Amino acid sequence: MDIQRLKPHFPWITLLVLVTIVGIADPSFLKPANLLSLAGDIVPLFIMALGLTFAIYIGGIDLSAQSMANMITVVASVYLAPLGIWVAGLCILAGFTLGTLSGYLTTRMYVPSFISTLAVGGICFSVAQWLSGNRALNMDATQRNETFGWMIGRTGVVPHELFIAIGLLAICLLIERRTVLGRALKAVGAGELAAAASGLNVARYKILAFAISGGLAAVAGLLFSVKLSGGAPTIANGFLLPAIVAVLVGGTPLTGGVGGVLNTAIGTLIVAVIRASMLYFGIAATQQQMVFGLVLIAAIALTIDRSKLRTVK
Amino acid sequence: GGAARAAISDPAIAWSYRDRASAYWNSIVSGGEAFVESLGKPKDSLVSLINEGSSEKSLADIKAFLAKTGGKCAIACDANDSPNARPVVEAVRDAGAYISTIWNKTDDLHPWDISDNYVSHMTWSDEKPAEQTARILFDAMGGKGGVVHLGGIAANNPAIERLNGLKNALKDFPDIELLDAQPADWDTTKGTELMASFLTRFGDKITGVHCANDNIAYGVIEALRAEGIENMPIVAYDGNPEAVKLVMDGKLLATVFTNPHWGGGITAALAYYAATGAFKPSEEPKEHREFYGPTVLVTKKDAADFKAKYLDAVPSYNWKDFWGPSNGQIKYK
Amino acid sequence: MPRILTRENAIRWAPFMVLLALIVLFTAINPSFLSQRNFARIAIAAAPALMVAIGVTFIIVMGSIDLSMEGVVSLTAVLFCFLMLALGGTLASGGWIAIPVILAVGAATGLVNGFIHVKLKIPSFMASLALGFVGTGAAILLTGGDIVKFDDPTFRALLTWRILGFPLMVYVAGLCLVLAWFIQSQTRLGRYFYAVGGGEELAHASGVRVQHVRMAGFSLAGFFYAIAAILQVAKLGQAESVTGSNFMFMSITSVVVGGVALWGGIGGVWNTLVGVLIVAVINNGMVVIGLPDFLQAAVLGLLVIIAVILSTDRRAVAFVK
Amino acid sequence: MYELKAVEKKFPGVHALKSVDFSISRGEIVGLVGENGAGKSTLMKVIYGAYQPDGGEMLIDGKPVRFGGPRDAMERGIGMVFQEQSLITNLSVMENIFLGYEDQFSRFGVVNWKAMAKAARKQLAKVKLDIDPRTITSSLSFAQRQLVELAKVLTLEERVQGHLVVLLDEPTSVLAEEEVKLLFKLVRELTTRASFIFVSHRMDEVMELSDRIYVMKDGQVVDVVSRGAATPEAIQHKMVGRHVDKEYYREQRQKPYDATRPLVELSGVDLPGRVHDISLTLHAGEVLCLVGTEGSGREAILRTIYGMRTPTKGTLKIKGETVSRLTARGAVERGVGYVPRERKIEGIVAGMNVYENMTLSQMPHYARMGWLDVADERALARKWIGKLAIKASSEYADCGNLSGGNQQKVVLAKWRSGGSDIMLLDHPTRGLDIGAKEDVYDMIREMCDDGVGVVLVADTLEEAIGLSHTIVVIKDGEIQKRFDCVPGSKPTLYDLLHYMI
Ligand SMILES: Nc1ncnc2c1ncn2[C@@H]1O[C@H](COP(=O)(O)OP(=O)(O)OP(=O)(O)O)[C@@H](O)[C@H]1O
Ligand SMILES: Nc1ncnc2c1ncn2[C@@H]1O[C@H](COP(=O)(O)OP(=O)(O)OP(=O)(O)O)[C@@H](O)[C@H]1O
Ligand SMILES: [Mg+2]
Ligand SMILES: [Mg+2]
C-alpha cells in the first residue's frame, strides 16, 4: 500500500480510529442515536468553523467569528419580536457586512486579518453590549417555536441541526469545488500574486471570503440563540478556539490553498469526539485540559498532509 | 405530574461547572465530593463536566453524559449563561434524568413548569449582601468621599446585582459619590490595571473601593501597594480563604461567604435524591424548588470565628437537610 | 546630508508617532494622564506584557507564530511560587535559586514546543496552541485550581521599590529589552531568525540549520515568557492557572501594532516596545478619560487598526493575509 | 577528482536521473546542457547535497561520500549558485555572503560586524563589485545580486582546504552582456582553485566556456563532448532529438503588420518612479520589442498596459477606447494577456494543477452562472499539453512540480487558449531549452498571423532583433529611439547598444 496515496485520507482515518477507541472503552458510545446526537450538538460550532474555513483557505484568519456570533445572539433576541422570520435576514446581513469590513481592512488597507478581524470583533462586542444593555436576553418561547422551531427539532433520531449542517456543507462544498468563486479562492490561497497576474479581482474574492466567514458566523450565532432561546454578549464565548482547531485538525493549514470544507466537517467531528472522550474515559477534572492538549497534538500530527506544505511554519 | 415516583437505582452523579482554575468552583466541587462520599462512594465517582465558560460545551457535555448513562443520572449544574439553562434542563427531562441548577437561569424558567426532572434552582441574592458590604465601606469612609466599583463580566447576573447593592446603599449616603463603575471581569490582573487607571483619573478623590469579588480585590490591593497606599477601605465578595485572611489582617474590610461547599453538595444531593425517589419534587412547596442560598458576611470582628468554623475544618453537613441553611424563595422583579 | 523626511522614515517612525498622538489625545481630554505617576502605572502594566511580546517577536520574525504564552506563563508562575515557598519562602533564604531554575523551565518548555513543531512537522500555530492547553492544564493539575500566594517583601521590592518614580520591575524589564535587542542584532542566532523569516529555504540551502534555529527561537521565547511570569508574580503577589490569560491576543496585537510583520523578517524588539506601549496606553487612557465600558472594545479595535494602517508601507507589501 | 557513478533519482511519478555517470577533474569547466526537465538542476542538487540520490555512488578523490545536506557538501568544497535568486533580501549583503559561516567572526555567538564587513569587502572585490557590504540586499539590482551570490560561493576559497567545485545553474540568464563577460573572466581566473559545472540554455556561452559538455536528455547523459569536438547544431540535435531549424527566429515568417488597426496606444504616459513621457503604438500583427538595460522601465510599461500600474499622466487607449482606470481584470476582459518574468511567483499557482492554471484567467468561458464545466477545462488542458509538448503526467499534475520550462509553457497556453489578442511577454523564453524556445517563436509568429499584437521584452538582443517588427529602445525610463525591423534590413546589435547605454 502506498502511503502517499493514503495521505489525503488521514483525517477521516484519524476520526475513525478515535471513534473506535472510544467505542472499545464504552460500546454504548457507538449507538447511532448517540453518535447522531453528538453530531447534532456540535452543529453551531461546525457552522462557525465552516465559515472560518473560507478565511483560512485564502491564507487569512477570522478572529471576529466568536464576537460576531455573540452579537448575533443579541440581535436575534432583540429583533425576533418585531421582525419575525426576517430577523434571520438581518442577522446574516449583519454578519456579511461586518465580514466585508474585515475583508476591506485586510485587502485595501493592508491590515493583517489577524488584527483586522480581532478589531472588528471588538466592534461586534461593543455593539452586543450596547444593544443588550449588558444583560442576558431571552426570546419569547412561543414565538421562537413558531418562527424557528424547525431548526432545533428532531425527526426520528436525527436532530434537525444536522440537516442544516449537511445543507450548508453541501452548498459550501459545491462552491469550493465547482464554482468560479471556489477556484478563485484556491488560487488566492495557493498563489495570490499569480492569481492577480491572471487578472482575477483578488481583492474582491478575498473580501468575499471574509464576508462568507462573517455570514456563517452569524448563522452559527442565530442557530445558537434559537437553541438557547436567548442571547447575551458573552454567550458564544468558547467557540473560537475549538472552531479554529476544527479547521486545522481537518487539514486546512493556515498557509491556505489546501484542504477545504469537507476537511472541516471531519475536523469538527474529531474535536467533538475528543471532547466526549474525556467523559467516556473518565478523565479527572484537573487533568482534562492537559489531556485535551496532548490528544490534540497527536491528532494533528496524524491528520496533516505534509506533502502539500512546502515549508512548515 | 402524578406519575409513579421516580426510582433510578444508583444514578451516576455529575457536576457541570465553569472551570477548575478558581477557588470558588473548587469549593463547589469539594462539596459535591463530600456528598458522594456520604453515599459511601469514592470521591472520583463524581463526574466533572467543565465548560470553560462556553455554554456550547456545557450543553454538549451534559448531553454526552446523558447519552453515556442512558439517562440514569443526577446532574448538578451552573448553566454558565442564563439562556443556556432552558435547553439543558429540557435535554435532561427528555432523557428522564434529574437536574438541580444554581446561579444562571432566565426568569421565565421554573422547575415546576418543566417536570420533576428539574428538581430545583438555587441562587444567591447578591444585592442585599453587596449593599451590606457597601454600608460597611461607607462607614469606614466616614460617610463621605468617593468610591469606585470594579465589577464582574458586565452581563453576568451576579455582577449586575452586586453593583445594584452598592447603588442601593448609596441612597443613604448623600455625601458619597460613585466615581465610576467598570467591569474587571472577575480577574485579578484586570483588577490591578483598572485600579491603576482609576487612580490616575480620580487620584485622591478615591477614598473607598467596592469590588465585585475577591479576585478583583487582590488586584486592587496590589495596585494600591505599588503606590504605597496602605489604608484604603476595600470590600469584596465570595469569602475565599485568602480573602478571609486579608480581612483578618485588616487589608480588606469585609467579604461575603456564600458557602459554595454546602451549595455544591446540596445541589448534587437534591438531584440525586429526587432521582432515587427519596422525595418527589412536585410534592414540595415552591420555596423548596427555587430558593436563595445562604450568605455569611465576614468582617474583621468575626473573621477568626468564621475561619475556624468554615475553613480550617470544613463542617460536615447533613446532605438530606436540603433546605436548612437556605434563605427563602427567589423573588423576581 | 541625508534627507530625514523620507517616506521610509515616516513609515518607520509611524508607530512611535501614533504613540505620541495617543498621549496627546488622552492628555487633552484628561490632563492627569500626562503625569509621571500615570506613566509608572502604564509601565507596570506593560512590563510583563513586554516580556511576553518580546518572546513572541522572535517567533514572528521567523515567520512562525507562538500561541503557547498563556499556558507557559501560568505554568512557570505557579512553579515559581511553589519553588520559592519550598525554598523557604524568601529570596534571602535561598529562594533566589528559583529564578534561574524557572527561567530554565521556561526555556525547556519552549524547546518542547519547538521540538513538536519542527520534528513532528506540525505548523507552529497548532503545535503551540495545543502546548498552551497543556501548560494551563499542568498549572491546574499542580494547583488544583487554587491560588498560590507568595508575598516575600524582598521579592516584592520589584513592585514596591521605586527609583526615579518607577518601580524596580520596570528597570528589570528594560534590561531584558536590552538583552533581547542584543540577541536580535549582535548575535548569530538573532540574525538567523531574520534569515529564516526572510527565506527559510534559502537559509537552509546556505547551510543554516533551520530546525535548530527554530527550536532555539521557541526556547528563547519560553525564556522570556518565564521572565514575564516572574514579573507577573512580583506584580500580583500570587500565581494561579489563569495568571497567563489575556496575554495571547494582547501580545500579538502589540507586536503587529509596533510594526513587526506577521509574515516574518521585518521589525524587531524596539517595534515591540512601542506596540506594547501603544496598547497599554490605550487601555489605561480609555479608563482615564472615562470612556463608557461598552465602547472600550470597539475603540481599542479602531485605534489598533488606525495604528497598523499608518505604520504599513503599502508600496512595499504586495498583499497581506 | 569528483565522480558520480550510476546515480539514480526518482520523484513521485518521475524518474529524474537514470543511472547518471559524471566526473569532473581539477580546474575543469564542465558544461551541462539539456532540454527543460532533462534533469540538470536535479543533478546539480544531488551534487550539492540538497537531494539524496536513490541509488549509485558519489566519489571524491576515489573515496565514496554521502552528504546529509548542503552543509556537508560545502564542507567538502562544493558550492552552488542557484538558478533562482537565492539571497535573503531582508539581510545585509555581508550577512548573506557569510550566512551559515559566521563562526569566524563571532565569539560566544556574538558577531563582530566590523570584521565581517572587512571580509565581505574582500569577497566583493573578487567579483569587482563596489558596494557597501552593509547594504540591505533588497536594494540591489538583479545583476548585482547575482555577483553577490558568486562572491558568496567564493568564500569557499578561504574556508576549505584543497580544491573546490562550484556549480552554476543558469547564472547568466539575468546578466547583461558585459556582466557575462566579467563572470566568464572570473571563472577562468578561478580555475586554479576550482572546477566549475555550468548550466545554461545559451549554447554559445556553453561552447565558449566549457572544456567538456555533458548533454542530458530525459534524465540520462546522452553524450559527452570535448571542446571543439562538435558543432552547436550537433549538440542541439542530441538534446532535442531532432534537427533545429536554421531559421531560428522564424524571420521568413515575419509578415507586415496591419498599420490600420492600432491595439494599444500610449501617449505621454508618466509612471510613479522614473518612467517618463512614453508614447508608443502597437498594431495588430506586430511584434513590438522593448529594449533596454535592466531597470530601464520595460517591465513597468508592460504592467501599465496590463492595468497593474496606474499612469500619473498621459492616456492609454486599448483598441481605440481610452481607459482611465484600468485593472488587471479590465485588461484581461479587453483581450490583454501577460506572461510575467517571475513565472514561479506570478505565472503559475503552485498547488493547482495544469487545467486549473490554464483556465485561471478565463474562468468565465468555462462557467455558466458561476458554475465551472470541469470536463471542458480538462479537454482544453489535454489539447494544449499535446500541442506544446508539455511534460506533465496528466492535466492533474501539480504545476508546482513541473520544471521551469514546462511551467512557462503552461502560462503561455493559459493566455493563448483564452484568445488574448494583445500579448505582453516579459522574458518569455528565459530558462527555456532550444526546442521550447522554437515552440515559443512559432507561437509568436502564429499569433501575429492571427492578428495578435505582441509587446515583447526579450531575453537577448538577438532574440529582440530576430522577432520584432518594431524595436523601441528605452533608457532611464525614456524612449530613446524607434527602429523598424523589416526582414533583411534589421538594426544591428551595435545600433541598439548605442542607444541603450
Ligand atoms: N519533486 C519532484 N516531483 C516530481 N517531478 C520532479 C520533481 N523534481 C524533479 N522532477 C522532474 O524531474 C525532471 C528533471 O527536472 P530538472 O529540474 O532537473 O530539469 P532541468 O534539466 O533542470 O530543466 P530546466 O532546463 O527547465 O531547468 C523534470 O521532469 C521534473 O519535472
Ligand atoms: N522538494 C521538492 N518537492 C517537490 N518538487 C520539487 C522539489 N524540489 C524540486 N522540485 C521540482 O523539481 C524540478 C526541478 O526544479 P528546478 O528548481 O531545478 O527547476 P528547473 O527545471 O531547473 O527550472 P527552469 O526551467 O526555470 O530552469 C521542478 O519540477 C521542481 O518543481
Ligand atoms: Mg533547472
Ligand atoms: Mg532550468
Side-chain angles (χ1 to χ4, degrees), chain A residues 53-103:
Chain A
T53 311
F54 284 88
I56 294 179
Y57 195 54
I58 61 160
I61 191 147
D62 183 359
L63 300 178
S64 70
Q66 171 176 301
S67 306
M68 181 81 71
N70 271 323
M71 182 188 79
I72 292 300
T73 65
V74 173
V75 170
S77 306
V78 170
Y79 292 108
L80 174 64
L83 293 183
I85 185 80
W86 296 107
V87 78
L90 174 69
C91 290
I92 294 169
L93 186 72
F96 205 80
T97 311
L98 283 162
T100 307
L101 175 63
S102 301

Side-chain angles (χ1 to χ4, degrees), chain C residues 181-203:
Chain C
W181 166 80
F182 185 81
I183 293 171
Q184 161 191 307
S185 63
Q186 301 299 314
T187 68
R188 199 171 42 180
L189 182 65
R191 301 317 295 173
Y192 281 173
F193 294 153
Y194 284 85
V196 170
E200 174 166 355
E201 286 168 41
L202 302 178

Side-chain angles (χ1 to χ4, degrees), chain D residues 226-244:
Chain D
S226 310
R227 182 189 285 277
T231 61
E233 289 73 23
I235 293 175
Q236 283 168 1
H237 185 162
K238 291 207 172 88
M239 276 168 56
V240 188
R242 62 184 153 84
H243 278 290
V244 178

Side-chain angles (χ1 to χ4, degrees), chain D residues 65-320:
Chain D
V65 287
R66 262 199 93 76
F67 296 150
R71 212 180 162 92
D72 293 349
M74 282 188 243
E75 259 137 42
R76 303 302 298 261
I78 299 171
M80 178 155 173
V81 174
F82 288 89
Q83 179 172 359
E84 278 80 33
Q85 294 279 327
S86 67
L87 297 177
I88 298 178
T89 52
N90 62 328
L91 298 186
S92 65
V93 168
M94 61 180 179
E95 283 178 280
N96 264 305
I97 290 178
F98 294 108
L99 190 62
Y101 292 92
E102 297 85 351
D103 294 9
Q104 38 185 330
F105 314 109
S106 41
R107 287 181 62 178
F108 309 114
V110 179
V111 182
N112 179 347
W113 295 119
K114 277 216 178 99
M116 187 189 276
K118 196 167 151 228
R121 256 184 227 109
K122 206 170 123 204
Q123 295 300 328
L124 290 172
K126 284 189 197 168
V127 296
K128 316 219 159 45
L129 194 58
D130 183 24
I131 51 172
D132 181 359
R134 287 192 167 85
T135 316
I136 299 297
T137 311
S138 59
S139 60
L140 301 185
S141 74
F142 280 98
Q144 284 175 320
R145 291 184 204 183
Q146 190 81 46
L147 290 175
V148 171
E149 286 202 48
L150 186 61
K152 175 178 173 174
V153 170
L154 293 179
T155 57
L156 283 173
E157 268 197 288
E158 282 87 40
R159 200 182 310 136
V160 181
Q161 293 293 314
H163 209 71
L164 309 179
V165 179
V166 177
L167 315 178
L168 305 169
D169 196 357
E170 301 191 39
T172 55
S173 56
V174 295
L175 297 187
E177 209 104 350
E178 294 301 307
E179 293 155 342
V180 171
K181 288 223 170 71
L182 172 66
L183 178 73
F184 283 7
K185 191 161 156 274
L186 276 171
V187 167
R188 288 202 190 91
E189 280 170 21
L190 287 166
T191 47
T192 49
R193 255 324 287 283
S195 316
F196 288 85
I197 305 174
F198 175 64
V199 176
S200 173
H201 288 293
R202 297 182 185 162
M203 197 51 64
D204 49 337
E205 291 176 0
V206 181
M207 307 282 295
E208 180 191 335
L209 192 64
S210 317
D211 300 322
R212 272 190 311 145
I213 299 174
Y214 278 79
V215 184
M216 290 187 74
K217 180 170 169 51
D218 294 334
Q220 278 172 311
V221 174
V222 288
D223 201 2
V224 185
V225 270
S226 310
R227 182 189 285 277
T231 61
E233 289 73 23
I235 293 175
Q236 283 168 1
H237 185 162
K238 291 207 172 88
M239 276 168 56
V240 188
R242 62 184 153 84
H243 278 290
V244 178
D245 199 321
K246 280 243 164 39
E247 279 295 337
Y248 193 51
Y249 297 114
R250 308 291 190 272
E251 274 178 49
Q252 82 284 14
R253 288 182 54 191
Q254 179 172 337
K255 294 178 195 145
Y257 56 85
D258 181 354
T260 60
R261 279 179 54 208
L263 293 175
V264 178
E265 292 160 88
L266 291 177
S267 47
V269 164
D270 281 7
L271 292 174
R274 292 198 308 179
V275 179
H276 180 65
D277 195 22
I278 300 293
S279 302
L280 46 83
T281 309
L282 174 74
H283 302 89
E286 176 179 8
V287 177
L288 185 144
C289 201
L290 303 179
V291 167
T293 53
E294 188 69 44
S296 57
R298 297 170 298 176
E299 192 179 15
I301 294 169
L302 288 191
R303 287 193 165 233
T304 307
I305 303 173
Y306 193 59
M308 291 177 92
R309 299 196 61 171
T310 318
T312 49
K313 231 176 84 186
T315 56
L316 165 62
K317 277 193 199 174
I318 294 183
K319 298 180 186 163

